[in-house]
Amino acid sequence: MGTTTQINNFNKNRWAVRFSNFPNMTGVKELDLHVMNDYVTAFNVPDISIPMLNSTFLHYRQLHPATKGSRDLQTINIEFNIDERMHNWFMLYSWMYKMLHGETCGRKNIDGKELVREDAIDVIEVCLLDNDNKIVSKLKFHHCILNNLSSLDLKYSGSEIGTIIATFECEYLSFGLETDEE
């Protein structure tokens, strides 16, 4: 069965985001990841481009992809609604603040060293759902490091929910279809 037989014409933005882990820089013993997973309102999947080289052969212009062969970090933006206790904002803010000061959360690399680089989310998963809310495919962003957190705009006498945008740099992306055999 080909992938085109599984197109869901009735899908109306059915997706969910899941974080595999989260660097704990808050001082709280255990983080409640549902304040991250359940408060995502927008997710930006990055574009991909390749530079082109230009050459001339017999007075004709020729284009060639300029392949690199190395992984470049990709930028993703995730918009969050602020939860009632501002816990998700505090988790992101604490991570950003501690990284700025070179502090780590205690994760060690293979050599046993604590590096700021190791304070990353292993996988941010974007799960695409069918009409029965079953996962049909997953985009996985691997080794994601927070590198920007937007300002938080709180206003008096407004009924608007506060939002923030977190920007992550990810080392690579993988994609998978869910099958009935799993």
Side-chain angles (χ1 to χ4, degrees):
M1 178 168 22
T3 57
T4 56
T5 62
Q6 297 297 315
I7 292 174
N8 182 351
N9 293 321
F10 302 102
N11 192 340
K12 301 290 186 228
N13 244 354
R14 295 182 155 305
W15 53 273
V17 174
R18 298 191 298 204
F19 295 85
S20 63
N21 62 301
F22 204 87
N24 188 353
M25 306 288 209
T26 63
V28 177
K29 284 188 182 184
E30 271 191 52
L31 295 179
D32 186 4
L33 279 184
H34 99 276
V35 297
M36 300 305 291
N37 296 338
D38 297 344
Y39 285 82
V40 172
T41 61
F43 192 97
N44 166 266
V45 178
D47 64 341
I48 186 168
S49 64
I50 187 168
M52 299 299 283
L53 299 174
N54 193 3
S55 67
T56 305
F57 180 72
L58 297 175
H59 303 291
Y60 289 100
R61 178 178 178 238
Q62 294 182 335
L63 294 175
H64 310 275
T67 58
K68 293 187 200 178
S70 66
R71 297 189 307 198
D72 286 334
L73 295 181
Q74 298 188 17
T75 302
I76 59 174
N77 295 309
I78 304 175
E79 183 176 340
F80 295 90
N81 280 343
I82 300 302
D83 69 287
E84 298 79 18
R85 296 181 180 181
M86 291 180 58
H87 193 192
N88 56 2
W89 171 83
F90 184 65
M91 288 168 61
L92 291 162
Y93 180 83
S94 296
W95 182 12
M96 200 68 190
Y97 184 83
K98 299 280 182 157
M99 272 195 306
L100 280 170
H101 293 90
E103 296 180 41
T104 63
C105 72
R107 285 184 80 178
K108 296 180 180 176
N109 68 3
I110 199 162
D111 295 334
K113 296 178 184 171
E114 285 186 31
L115 302 172
V116 175
R117 171 181 161 62
E118 297 304 320
D119 297 335
I121 298 171
D122 295 331
V123 177
I124 298 175
E125 239 178 20
V126 180
C127 304
L128 290 294
L129 310 170
D130 66 10
N131 287 332
D132 295 325
N133 288 330
K134 292 182 182 167
I135 297 172
V136 292
S137 64
K138 292 179 186 175
L139 279 168
K140 294 182 180 181
F141 296 87
H142 300 267
H143 199 88
C144 304
I145 300 172
L146 180 66
N147 74 338
N148 189 38
L149 185 61
S150 70
S151 61
L152 175 59
D153 190 20
L154 301 174
K155 298 178 184 175
Y156 248 121
S157 71
S159 61
E160 295 176 16
I161 297 172
T163 61
I164 53 171
I165 297 174
T167 303
F168 295 88
E169 294 292 332
C170 306
E171 288 194 353
Y172 65 99
L173 139 75
S174 63
F175 177 77
L177 295 173
E178 296 295 305
T179 62
D180 295 336
E181 291 83 47
E182 292 179 10

